[in-house]
Every structure is written in C-alpha cells, then in structure tokens.
Amino acid sequence: MAYRSFVALGDSFTEGLNDPLPEGAAQDPNGITRYRGWADRVAERLAELEPGFRYANLAVRGKLIDQIIADQVPRAIEMKPDLISFCAGGNDLLRPGSDPDRVAKKLATAVRDLRKTGAEVIMFTGTDPRDTPLMRMGRGKFAVFFMHTRAIADMYGCHLVDLWPMQSLRDPRAWSEDRLHLNAEGHRLVAAKVLDVLGVPSKDDWRKKWPPLEAVDPWTKRREDTLWLKNHVAPWIGRRIRGVSSGDGVPPKRPELAPLG
C-alpha cells in the first residue's frame, strides 16, 4: 500500500532522541535540540514512494500517556492521515506505583478512537530491559503492559512492531550514553523494522549482526556505571522530585501535516 500521509504520536522514542540531525541543524530557533529518529526515517522512505506525501510528528519527550491522549490524539484525528503511529505509556511505567493494567486501558481507548478514523495504526512493544541497570527491576511490569499492547493491537487490527525479542537492539552500541534512548544506529534499526511490518521495502535490515564486543575490565565498567548514575540517573530523579519534565515547554517538531521538503 502507498501511504500518502503519516502522523507520529508519542514521547521521546518517537520524537527521535538521541538521533542527531545533520550538523548545523540540531537546534530550532528557540534553542531546543531537535532530532531525527525512526519516525522521520520511515517518513523519508514513504515520501520516496509516494509523490505529495505529508508527515507530522507530534511526539514530545517526557510526556505521559494522559498528556499524549489529551494533546496529540485529537490533533491526529483532525488531520485524517492514512497512517498513525502511537507509542505511549513508557514514562508512566517508570513512575513508582504505576499500574500497567490501568495504563493499558487508557492505551486501548486511544487506539479505538484512532482506528475509528479509518487510519492504519502502528503500535509498539518496548525492548526487554533485562540488560539495563535499574530498568530491569521493572521488567515484570513492562512485560505485563506489552502483553496488553499485543492484545490491543490484535483487537483493533493494528500493525504491531514487537521490539521485545529484537536481538539487534540488545547490543549496547544501539543505545546512547543515557542507556534509555536509542542512538542513530538504534533508530535506523527500528525504522527498518517498522517498514518491514508495513510491507515497505527498505535498504536496511533490522536483523543486524553486530561484531563481538571488546572485553571491558570490571574497574572500567564500574567507572562507566558511576558516571551514568551521576550524569543521567541523578538529573532524572531530580526532575521527578521537582515535578518537572524534560518536555516542559518543548513544542512538537512537526506540528502540521506537510510535505517533508
């Protein structure tokens, strides 16, 4: 199928952190760092196949599912695109005391409303967090939520991009220094997976075989973990304590359905 329009909804994963744009195009006029990401990469490929293709990306880093449903879903419905990607809930599950069943109910309601427009909808499971310090403590909660996600995708006839078993994303070289967001190579692999699920030919293969990792001595690993806690985990905890988000004041990078240019 040739897609004429695509709207991407979600948080930092869909906004594209940390997949940098070409040099000189990293910041918008407001000084906000902008990124490329898997959704832009998918849109670029779809635009190659369909003249007049239009694309909007409403995703904003740090957003919770209630914010995405309130701010992004109605705008996507108004745009009436052929294709919508919807990935939400991950930031909610990182909060202590969050309930994956409750978050999944909100996800299901939003997906139902998006499908009523007649658009095809792409949904995602996340990667298995067993290799990530701290994150792996919530592995069971994430697993429950992603089982719900699979059921919702099946119920409403959505495309499902299942990242949980995707071995190419288990390699640390697919991730940025914060160990939470993909880097450019990780986003490229996800874009290839999305295109494969859509049945769209891609020059990339999401089944990448990485060369063996060089061995790291325990002291170096401990030093890297300490720096990670200091530079990434501590600021994240600080924002939670202050009740602020990395996405506060950040507008969508592509708020209108328009040609890529």
Side-chain angles (χ1 to χ4, degrees):
M1 177 178 176
Y3 296 101
R4 297 167 297 175
S5 52
F6 170 36
V7 176
L9 311 179
D11 51 30
S12 57
F13 169 68
T14 303
E15 186 186 346
L17 276 69
N18 285 314
D19 181 3
L21 290 166
E23 187 177 356
Q27 290 191 335
D28 68 11
N30 298 317
I32 297 171
T33 301
R34 290 303 187 181
Y35 300 93
R36 190 182 183 190
W38 68 264
D40 284 18
R41 293 169 181 271
V42 168
E44 291 160 11
R45 177 58 180 149
L46 296 179
E48 292 175 355
L49 303 174
E50 183 65 20
F53 174 83
R54 297 176 299 152
Y55 168 54
N57 190 320
L58 308 182
V60 175
R61 64 198 76 169
K63 294 303 181 183
L64 302 173
I65 192 168
D66 285 339
Q67 296 170 312
I68 294 169
I69 290 174
D71 300 335
Q72 300 178 27
V73 169
R75 294 172 66 184
I77 291 174
E78 291 175 359
M79 291 178 182
K80 295 181 170 58
D82 297 331
L83 182 67
I84 300 171
S85 69
F86 183 50
C87 185
N91 289 319
D92 297 79
L93 296 178
L94 289 172
R95 266 64 175 178
S98 57
D99 183 348
D101 298 326
R102 185 175 301 173
V103 177
K105 286 182 179 179
K106 297 177 181 180
L107 183 77
T109 299
V111 170
R112 179 196 64 195
D113 293 343
L114 293 171
R115 285 289 287 147
K116 283 181 179 178
T117 67
E120 294 190 23
V121 173
I122 309 169
M123 298 179 65
F124 295 81
T125 68
T127 55
D128 187 344
R130 64 180 172 176
D131 301 317
T132 308
L134 299 182
M135 286 279 289
R136 58 173 167 253
M137 293 189 295
R139 189 184 184 208
K141 184 162 57 174
F142 279 97
V144 169
F145 179 68
F146 295 143
M147 286 300 294
H148 283 305
T149 300
R150 294 182 182 96
I152 294 166
D154 184 61
M155 181 184 302
Y156 292 107
C158 302
H159 300 284
L160 180 66
V161 179
D162 193 356
L163 302 182
W164 185 279
M166 193 166 160
Q167 293 299 303
S168 57
L169 292 183
R170 289 195 60 194
D171 193 288
R173 287 167 290 187
W175 297 85
S176 59
E177 289 184 357
D178 66 9
R179 306 183 186 180
L180 182 63
H181 298 99
L182 297 167
N183 58 23
E185 184 64 10
H187 279 283
R188 187 187 68 80
L189 293 171
V190 171
K193 177 72 169 179
V194 172
L195 291 169
D196 185 44
V197 169
L198 292 176
V200 176
S202 170
K203 66 179 181 180
D204 296 319
D205 185 3
W206 57 268
R207 302 176 184 85
K208 177 172 181 172
K209 301 296 184 182
W210 294 88
L213 278 167
E214 294 184 6
V216 178
D217 67 85
W219 288 107
T220 300
K221 182 66 167 62
R222 183 175 299 178
R223 186 166 58 250
E224 290 176 349
D225 289 344
T226 300
L227 289 173
W228 172 68
L229 288 168
K230 176 183 176 181
N231 296 332
H232 300 288
V233 177
W236 182 86
I237 293 174
R239 289 195 297 271
R240 299 289 77 72
I241 294 173
R242 299 193 306 273
V244 299
S245 168
S246 59
D248 290 345
V250 178
K253 62 179 179 179
R254 294 187 62 89
E256 305 298 334
L257 196 57
L260 281 174

PDB file of all heavy atoms in Angstrom, residues 98-124:
ATOM      1  N   SER A  98       3.118   2.765  39.522  1.00  0.00           N
ATOM      2  CA  SER A  98       2.279   2.763  38.316  1.00  0.00           C
ATOM      3  C   SER A  98       1.687   1.376  38.090  1.00  0.00           C
ATOM      4  O   SER A  98       2.269   0.358  38.449  1.00  0.00           O
ATOM      5  CB  SER A  98       3.096   3.204  37.102  1.00  0.00           C
ATOM      6  OG  SER A  98       4.221   2.365  36.922  1.00  0.00           O
ATOM      7  N   ASP A  99       0.513   1.354  37.478  1.00  0.00           N
ATOM      8  CA  ASP A  99      -0.238   0.121  37.260  1.00  0.00           C
ATOM      9  C   ASP A  99      -0.307  -0.166  35.757  1.00  0.00           C
ATOM     10  O   ASP A  99      -0.967   0.574  35.022  1.00  0.00           O
ATOM     11  CB  ASP A  99      -1.650   0.275  37.833  1.00  0.00           C
ATOM     12  CG  ASP A  99      -2.486  -0.992  37.716  1.00  0.00           C
ATOM     13  OD1 ASP A  99      -2.062  -1.922  37.001  1.00  0.00           O
ATOM     14  OD2 ASP A  99      -3.570  -1.043  38.321  1.00  0.00           O
ATOM     15  N   PRO A 100       0.351  -1.211  35.262  1.00  0.00           N
ATOM     16  CA  PRO A 100       0.340  -1.483  33.819  1.00  0.00           C
ATOM     17  C   PRO A 100      -1.059  -1.793  33.288  1.00  0.00           C
ATOM     18  O   PRO A 100      -1.345  -1.498  32.124  1.00  0.00           O
ATOM     19  CB  PRO A 100       1.275  -2.681  33.675  1.00  0.00           C
ATOM     20  CG  PRO A 100       1.306  -3.319  35.011  1.00  0.00           C
ATOM     21  CD  PRO A 100       1.162  -2.198  36.001  1.00  0.00           C
ATOM     22  N   ASP A 101      -1.924  -2.361  34.098  1.00  0.00           N
ATOM     23  CA  ASP A 101      -3.282  -2.646  33.649  1.00  0.00           C
ATOM     24  C   ASP A 101      -4.050  -1.345  33.396  1.00  0.00           C
ATOM     25  O   ASP A 101      -4.769  -1.204  32.402  1.00  0.00           O
ATOM     26  CB  ASP A 101      -4.030  -3.487  34.689  1.00  0.00           C
ATOM     27  CG  ASP A 101      -3.375  -4.837  34.926  1.00  0.00           C
ATOM     28  OD1 ASP A 101      -2.815  -5.395  33.960  1.00  0.00           O
ATOM     29  OD2 ASP A 101      -3.418  -5.330  36.059  1.00  0.00           O
ATOM     30  N   ARG A 102      -3.893  -0.393  34.306  1.00  0.00           N
ATOM     31  CA  ARG A 102      -4.588   0.896  34.159  1.00  0.00           C
ATOM     32  C   ARG A 102      -4.058   1.665  32.960  1.00  0.00           C
ATOM     33  O   ARG A 102      -4.826   2.265  32.193  1.00  0.00           O
ATOM     34  CB  ARG A 102      -4.423   1.706  35.444  1.00  0.00           C
ATOM     35  CG  ARG A 102      -5.202   3.017  35.454  1.00  0.00           C
ATOM     36  CD  ARG A 102      -5.064   3.692  36.813  1.00  0.00           C
ATOM     37  NE  ARG A 102      -5.575   2.814  37.871  1.00  0.00           N
ATOM     38  CZ  ARG A 102      -5.458   3.090  39.161  1.00  0.00           C
ATOM     39  NH1 ARG A 102      -4.833   4.195  39.552  1.00  0.00           N
ATOM     40  NH2 ARG A 102      -5.950   2.256  40.062  1.00  0.00           N
ATOM     41  N   VAL A 103      -2.733   1.668  32.782  1.00  0.00           N
ATOM     42  CA  VAL A 103      -2.148   2.367  31.636  1.00  0.00           C
ATOM     43  C   VAL A 103      -2.622   1.723  30.335  1.00  0.00           C
ATOM     44  O   VAL A 103      -2.921   2.418  29.354  1.00  0.00           O
ATOM     45  CB  VAL A 103      -0.611   2.349  31.731  1.00  0.00           C
ATOM     46  CG1 VAL A 103       0.013   3.009  30.500  1.00  0.00           C
ATOM     47  CG2 VAL A 103      -0.140   3.070  32.993  1.00  0.00           C
ATOM     48  N   ALA A 104      -2.730   0.395  30.317  1.00  0.00           N
ATOM     49  CA  ALA A 104      -3.171  -0.315  29.107  1.00  0.00           C
ATOM     50  C   ALA A 104      -4.614   0.031  28.748  1.00  0.00           C
ATOM     51  O   ALA A 104      -4.963   0.103  27.562  1.00  0.00           O
ATOM     52  CB  ALA A 104      -3.017  -1.812  29.305  1.00  0.00           C
ATOM     53  N   LYS A 105      -5.479   0.240  29.739  1.00  0.00           N
ATOM     54  CA  LYS A 105      -6.861   0.622  29.451  1.00  0.00           C
ATOM     55  C   LYS A 105      -6.912   1.970  28.737  1.00  0.00           C
ATOM     56  O   LYS A 105      -7.702   2.169  27.812  1.00  0.00           O
ATOM     57  CB  LYS A 105      -7.663   0.671  30.749  1.00  0.00           C
ATOM     58  CG  LYS A 105      -7.996  -0.695  31.333  1.00  0.00           C
ATOM     59  CD  LYS A 105      -8.844  -0.571  32.594  1.00  0.00           C
ATOM     60  CE  LYS A 105      -9.179  -1.946  33.160  1.00  0.00           C
ATOM     61  NZ  LYS A 105      -9.993  -1.844  34.409  1.00  0.00           N
ATOM     62  N   LYS A 106      -6.077   2.891  29.181  1.00  0.00           N
ATOM     63  CA  LYS A 106      -6.019   4.194  28.509  1.00  0.00           C
ATOM     64  C   LYS A 106      -5.494   4.037  27.083  1.00  0.00           C
ATOM     65  O   LYS A 106      -5.998   4.684  26.159  1.00  0.00           O
ATOM     66  CB  LYS A 106      -5.118   5.134  29.308  1.00  0.00           C
ATOM     67  CG  LYS A 106      -5.629   5.442  30.703  1.00  0.00           C
ATOM     68  CD  LYS A 106      -4.643   6.318  31.476  1.00  0.00           C
ATOM     69  CE  LYS A 106      -5.155   6.613  32.886  1.00  0.00           C
ATOM     70  NZ  LYS A 106      -4.219   7.465  33.659  1.00  0.00           N
ATOM     71  N   LEU A 107      -4.502   3.190  26.917  1.00  0.00           N
ATOM     72  CA  LEU A 107      -3.957   2.928  25.587  1.00  0.00           C
ATOM     73  C   LEU A 107      -5.037   2.384  24.659  1.00  0.00           C
ATOM     74  O   LEU A 107      -5.174   2.830  23.510  1.00  0.00           O
ATOM     75  CB  LEU A 107      -2.799   1.942  25.701  1.00  0.00           C
ATOM     76  CG  LEU A 107      -2.044   1.606  24.416  1.00  0.00           C
ATOM     77  CD1 LEU A 107      -1.097   2.736  24.049  1.00  0.00           C
ATOM     78  CD2 LEU A 107      -1.259   0.307  24.566  1.00  0.00           C
ATOM     79  N   ALA A 108      -5.826   1.442  25.159  1.00  0.00           N
ATOM     80  CA  ALA A 108      -6.862   0.805  24.344  1.00  0.00           C
ATOM     81  C   ALA A 108      -7.909   1.812  23.895  1.00  0.00           C
ATOM     82  O   ALA A 108      -8.353   1.798  22.733  1.00  0.00           O
ATOM     83  CB  ALA A 108      -7.513  -0.332  25.122  1.00  0.00           C
ATOM     84  N   THR A 109      -8.315   2.698  24.792  1.00  0.00           N
ATOM     85  CA  THR A 109      -9.327   3.704  24.440  1.00  0.00           C
ATOM     86  C   THR A 109      -8.817   4.619  23.337  1.00  0.00           C
ATOM     87  O   THR A 109      -9.548   4.940  22.381  1.00  0.00           O
ATOM     88  CB  THR A 109      -9.693   4.535  25.678  1.00  0.00           C
ATOM     89  OG1 THR A 109     -10.229   3.669  26.688  1.00  0.00           O
ATOM     90  CG2 THR A 109     -10.729   5.595  25.336  1.00  0.00           C
ATOM     91  N   ALA A 110      -7.565   5.047  23.444  1.00  0.00           N
ATOM     92  CA  ALA A 110      -6.999   5.928  22.428  1.00  0.00           C
ATOM     93  C   ALA A 110      -6.875   5.214  21.086  1.00  0.00           C
ATOM     94  O   ALA A 110      -7.178   5.796  20.030  1.00  0.00           O
ATOM     95  CB  ALA A 110      -5.639   6.445  22.891  1.00  0.00           C
ATOM     96  N   VAL A 111      -6.430   3.969  21.101  1.00  0.00           N
ATOM     97  CA  VAL A 111      -6.291   3.209  19.855  1.00  0.00           C
ATOM     98  C   VAL A 111      -7.649   3.033  19.184  1.00  0.00           C
ATOM     99  O   VAL A 111      -7.778   3.164  17.958  1.00  0.00           O
ATOM    100  CB  VAL A 111      -5.631   1.846  20.128  1.00  0.00           C
ATOM    101  CG1 VAL A 111      -5.707   0.942  18.905  1.00  0.00           C
ATOM    102  CG2 VAL A 111      -4.182   2.041  20.547  1.00  0.00           C
ATOM    103  N   ARG A 112      -8.658   2.744  19.970  1.00  0.00           N
ATOM    104  CA  ARG A 112     -10.012   2.612  19.417  1.00  0.00           C
ATOM    105  C   ARG A 112     -10.427   3.891  18.697  1.00  0.00           C
ATOM    106  O   ARG A 112     -10.951   3.847  17.574  1.00  0.00           O
ATOM    107  CB  ARG A 112     -10.998   2.311  20.550  1.00  0.00           C
ATOM    108  CG  ARG A 112     -12.455   2.168  20.100  1.00  0.00           C
ATOM    109  CD  ARG A 112     -13.395   2.272  21.282  1.00  0.00           C
ATOM    110  NE  ARG A 112     -13.298   3.601  21.880  1.00  0.00           N
ATOM    111  CZ  ARG A 112     -13.780   3.910  23.093  1.00  0.00           C
ATOM    112  NH1 ARG A 112     -14.324   2.968  23.846  1.00  0.00           N
ATOM    113  NH2 ARG A 112     -13.674   5.143  23.552  1.00  0.00           N
ATOM    114  N   ASP A 113     -10.176   5.049  19.318  1.00  0.00           N
ATOM    115  CA  ASP A 113     -10.558   6.321  18.701  1.00  0.00           C
ATOM    116  C   ASP A 113      -9.752   6.595  17.438  1.00  0.00           C
ATOM    117  O   ASP A 113     -10.289   7.133  16.449  1.00  0.00           O
ATOM    118  CB  ASP A 113     -10.358   7.459  19.706  1.00  0.00           C
ATOM    119  CG  ASP A 113     -11.322   7.386  20.883  1.00  0.00           C
ATOM    120  OD1 ASP A 113     -12.341   6.670  20.764  1.00  0.00           O
ATOM    121  OD2 ASP A 113     -11.044   8.027  21.912  1.00  0.00           O
ATOM    122  N   LEU A 114      -8.480   6.241  17.436  1.00  0.00           N
ATOM    123  CA  LEU A 114      -7.660   6.452  16.246  1.00  0.00           C
ATOM    124  C   LEU A 114      -8.104   5.553  15.100  1.00  0.00           C
ATOM    125  O   LEU A 114      -8.152   5.985  13.940  1.00  0.00           O
ATOM    126  CB  LEU A 114      -6.187   6.195  16.575  1.00  0.00           C
ATOM    127  CG  LEU A 114      -5.520   7.183  17.533  1.00  0.00           C
ATOM    128  CD1 LEU A 114      -4.138   6.684  17.943  1.00  0.00           C
ATOM    129  CD2 LEU A 114      -5.412   8.571  16.896  1.00  0.00           C
ATOM    130  N   ARG A 115      -8.450   4.326  15.409  1.00  0.00           N
ATOM    131  CA  ARG A 115      -8.880   3.395  14.361  1.00  0.00           C
ATOM    132  C   ARG A 115     -10.232   3.782  13.765  1.00  0.00           C
ATOM    133  O   ARG A 115     -10.519   3.473  12.600  1.00  0.00           O
ATOM    134  CB  ARG A 115      -8.938   1.975  14.920  1.00  0.00           C
ATOM    135  CG  ARG A 115      -7.578   1.352  15.111  1.00  0.00           C
ATOM    136  CD  ARG A 115      -6.922   1.013  13.779  1.00  0.00           C
ATOM    137  NE  ARG A 115      -7.538  -0.147  13.147  1.00  0.00           N
ATOM    138  CZ  ARG A 115      -7.674  -0.332  11.846  1.00  0.00           C
ATOM    139  NH1 ARG A 115      -7.282   0.607  11.005  1.00  0.00           N
ATOM    140  NH2 ARG A 115      -8.224  -1.433  11.368  1.00  0.00           N
ATOM    141  N   LYS A 116     -11.062   4.478  14.533  1.00  0.00           N
ATOM    142  CA  LYS A 116     -12.359   4.916  14.018  1.00  0.00           C
ATOM    143  C   LYS A 116     -12.216   5.875  12.845  1.00  0.00           C
ATOM    144  O   LYS A 116     -13.147   6.038  12.055  1.00  0.00           O
ATOM    145  CB  LYS A 116     -13.165   5.584  15.136  1.00  0.00           C
ATOM    146  CG  LYS A 116     -13.801   4.616  16.124  1.00  0.00           C
ATOM    147  CD  LYS A 116     -14.603   5.375  17.170  1.00  0.00           C
ATOM    148  CE  LYS A 116     -15.274   4.423  18.150  1.00  0.00           C
ATOM    149  NZ  LYS A 116     -16.026   5.153  19.206  1.00  0.00           N
ATOM    150  N   THR A 117     -11.064   6.527  12.726  1.00  0.00           N
ATOM    151  CA  THR A 117     -10.849   7.454  11.617  1.00  0.00           C
ATOM    152  C   THR A 117     -10.633   6.723  10.299  1.00  0.00           C
ATOM    153  O   THR A 117     -10.651   7.340   9.241  1.00  0.00           O
ATOM    154  CB  THR A 117      -9.621   8.343  11.886  1.00  0.00           C
ATOM    155  OG1 THR A 117      -8.428   7.528  11.877  1.00  0.00           O
ATOM    156  CG2 THR A 117      -9.739   9.036  13.237  1.00  0.00           C
ATOM    157  N   GLY A 118     -10.386   5.416  10.371  1.00  0.00           N
ATOM    158  CA  GLY A 118     -10.062   4.647   9.175  1.00  0.00           C
ATOM    159  C   GLY A 118      -8.582   4.548   8.909  1.00  0.00           C
ATOM    160  O   GLY A 118      -8.160   3.845   7.972  1.00  0.00           O
ATOM    161  N   ALA A 119      -7.776   5.221   9.712  1.00  0.00           N
ATOM    162  CA  ALA A 119      -6.322   5.168   9.529  1.00  0.00           C
ATOM    163  C   ALA A 119      -5.770   3.824   9.989  1.00  0.00           C
ATOM    164  O   ALA A 119      -6.307   3.196  10.902  1.00  0.00           O
ATOM    165  CB  ALA A 119      -5.648   6.289  10.310  1.00  0.00           C
ATOM    166  N   GLU A 120      -4.702   3.394   9.357  1.00  0.00           N
ATOM    167  CA  GLU A 120      -3.945   2.258   9.880  1.00  0.00           C
ATOM    168  C   GLU A 120      -3.107   2.759  11.048  1.00  0.00           C
ATOM    169  O   GLU A 120      -2.587   3.881  11.023  1.00  0.00           O
ATOM    170  CB  GLU A 120      -3.049   1.668   8.790  1.00  0.00           C
ATOM    171  CG  GLU A 120      -3.828   1.038   7.647  1.00  0.00           C
ATOM    172  CD  GLU A 120      -2.931   0.255   6.700  1.00  0.00           C
ATOM    173  OE1 GLU A 120      -1.832  -0.157   7.130  1.00  0.00           O
ATOM    174  OE2 GLU A 120      -3.327   0.075   5.547  1.00  0.00           O
ATOM    175  N   VAL A 121      -2.983   1.940  12.083  1.00  0.00           N
ATOM    176  CA  VAL A 121      -2.279   2.349  13.295  1.00  0.00           C
ATOM    177  C   VAL A 121      -1.123   1.392  13.565  1.00  0.00           C
ATOM    178  O   VAL A 121      -1.295   0.168  13.509  1.00  0.00           O
ATOM    179  CB  VAL A 121      -3.237   2.389  14.507  1.00  0.00           C
ATOM    180  CG1 VAL A 121      -2.466   2.656  15.795  1.00  0.00           C
ATOM    181  CG2 VAL A 121      -4.316   3.458  14.302  1.00  0.00           C
ATOM    182  N   ILE A 122       0.038   1.963  13.859  1.00  0.00           N
ATOM    183  CA  ILE A 122       1.216   1.196  14.253  1.00  0.00           C
ATOM    184  C   ILE A 122       1.352   1.285  15.764  1.00  0.00           C
ATOM    185  O   ILE A 122       1.339   2.381  16.338  1.00  0.00           O
ATOM    186  CB  ILE A 122       2.500   1.743  13.612  1.00  0.00           C
ATOM    187  CG1 ILE A 122       2.347   1.907  12.103  1.00  0.00           C
ATOM    188  CG2 ILE A 122       3.691   0.862  13.942  1.00  0.00           C
ATOM    189  CD1 ILE A 122       3.483   2.691  11.462  1.00  0.00           C
ATOM    190  N   MET A 123       1.502   0.147  16.415  1.00  0.00           N
ATOM    191  CA  MET A 123       1.755   0.097  17.856  1.00  0.00           C
ATOM    192  C   MET A 123       3.096  -0.580  18.115  1.00  0.00           C
ATOM    193  O   MET A 123       3.630  -1.260  17.232  1.00  0.00           O
ATOM    194  CB  MET A 123       0.620  -0.640  18.568  1.00  0.00           C
ATOM    195  CG  MET A 123      -0.734   0.025  18.425  1.00  0.00           C
ATOM    196  SD  MET A 123      -2.033  -0.925  19.276  1.00  0.00           S
ATOM    197  CE  MET A 123      -1.491  -0.762  20.987  1.00  0.00           C
ATOM    198  N   PHE A 124       3.600  -0.406  19.337  1.00  0.00           N
ATOM    199  CA  PHE A 124       4.924  -0.918  19.670  1.00  0.00           C
ATOM    200  C   PHE A 124       4.923  -1.611  21.020  1.00  0.00           C
ATOM    201  O   PHE A 124       4.262  -1.162  21.961  1.00  0.00           O
ATOM    202  CB  PHE A 124       5.938   0.231  19.764  1.00  0.00           C
ATOM    203  CG  PHE A 124       6.197   0.939  18.475  1.00  0.00           C
ATOM    204  CD1 PHE A 124       5.324   1.910  18.016  1.00  0.00           C
ATOM    205  CD2 PHE A 124       7.327   0.652  17.725  1.00  0.00           C
ATOM    206  CE1 PHE A 124       5.562   2.578  16.827  1.00  0.00           C
ATOM    207  CE2 PHE A 124       7.579   1.312  16.535  1.00  0.00           C
ATOM    208  CZ  PHE A 124       6.696   2.274  16.080  1.00  0.00           C
TER     209      PHE A 124
END
